[in-house]
Amino acid sequence: MNDFGLSPERAAGIRRAETLARKINLLLDVIMSDSGKPYDYQAIRDGAQKAGYYLSRTRWSLLKSGKEQVVPDEALRAIAAVFDVDPEYLLQEGGKLPERVEAELELLRSMRRAEVRNFAARALGPVDPEALRAIAKILDEDE
């Protein structure tokens, strides 16, 4: 038993559900559907069905919220197929991001930097080119 009176198995189940929820929500945040829009339940359900698994709205809601439950391997494979990631990624607490996710995150970072640069240029009005280069350098330092 741990400090909260949970058995090791129960604590592991809770961690697994929380990890799965974090991964699913990251995928939902960064990967767009074929239509170019964020995935909604219907797109996830349809994609899972193509992969051979019916994903109910209730199960999907529980998965996204990190509620402890038994998740069939077929469900994990179907969700992974929808997002084109390795099913193992969904359960790993750490590890490397899938290449597709990393590429999408880098694109988002680039777009946000460009938005900040444009905002700074508009907000500051006419600024000499050297000052703009200095601002751009500061914005790019966190890479």
Side-chain angles (χ1 to χ4, degrees):
M1 294 285 181
N2 61 24
D3 292 343
F4 299 107
L6 298 175
S7 69
E9 296 81 20
R10 178 86 195 278
I14 291 169
R15 277 194 311 277
R16 182 177 191 235
E18 289 171 349
T19 297
L20 180 57
R22 264 194 325 276
K23 299 294 180 87
I24 286 173
N25 285 300
L26 173 64
L27 293 170
L28 287 169
D29 285 345
V30 300
I31 296 183
M32 297 294 138
S33 67
D34 292 338
S35 68
K37 297 178 182 175
Y39 278 97
D40 59 8
Y41 164 71
Q42 188 173 358
I44 299 292
R45 183 200 63 207
D46 293 349
Q49 266 186 308
K50 285 181 188 172
Y53 184 79
Y54 174 75
L55 184 64
S56 71
R57 184 179 296 274
T58 301
R59 176 165 305 254
W60 180 239
S61 178
L62 293 170
L63 288 169
K64 289 189 330 175
S65 65
K67 300 295 183 203
E68 183 184 10
Q69 60 182 302
V70 175
V71 182
D73 289 342
E74 301 83 36
L76 292 173
R77 283 194 294 274
I79 293 166
V82 169
F83 292 108
D84 192 26
V85 298
D86 185 330
E88 289 297 313
Y89 163 73
L90 295 173
L91 299 177
Q92 295 171 343
E93 284 193 41
K96 185 170 172 27
L97 288 173
E99 197 172 307
R100 180 176 181 195
V101 174
E102 189 65 51
E104 292 288 342
L105 285 171
E106 182 53 40
L107 176 62
L108 287 172
R109 282 190 289 266
S110 295
M111 290 169 57
R112 286 185 182 133
R113 283 192 303 268
E115 286 176 22
V116 171
R117 281 189 196 114
N118 290 339
F119 175 78
R122 286 191 312 269
L124 296 174
V127 177
D128 70 275
E130 189 56 39
L132 284 176
R133 279 192 286 279
I135 291 169
K137 183 178 178 187
I138 291 168
L139 292 172
D140 290 337
E141 283 179 354
D142 70 342
E143 290 181 37

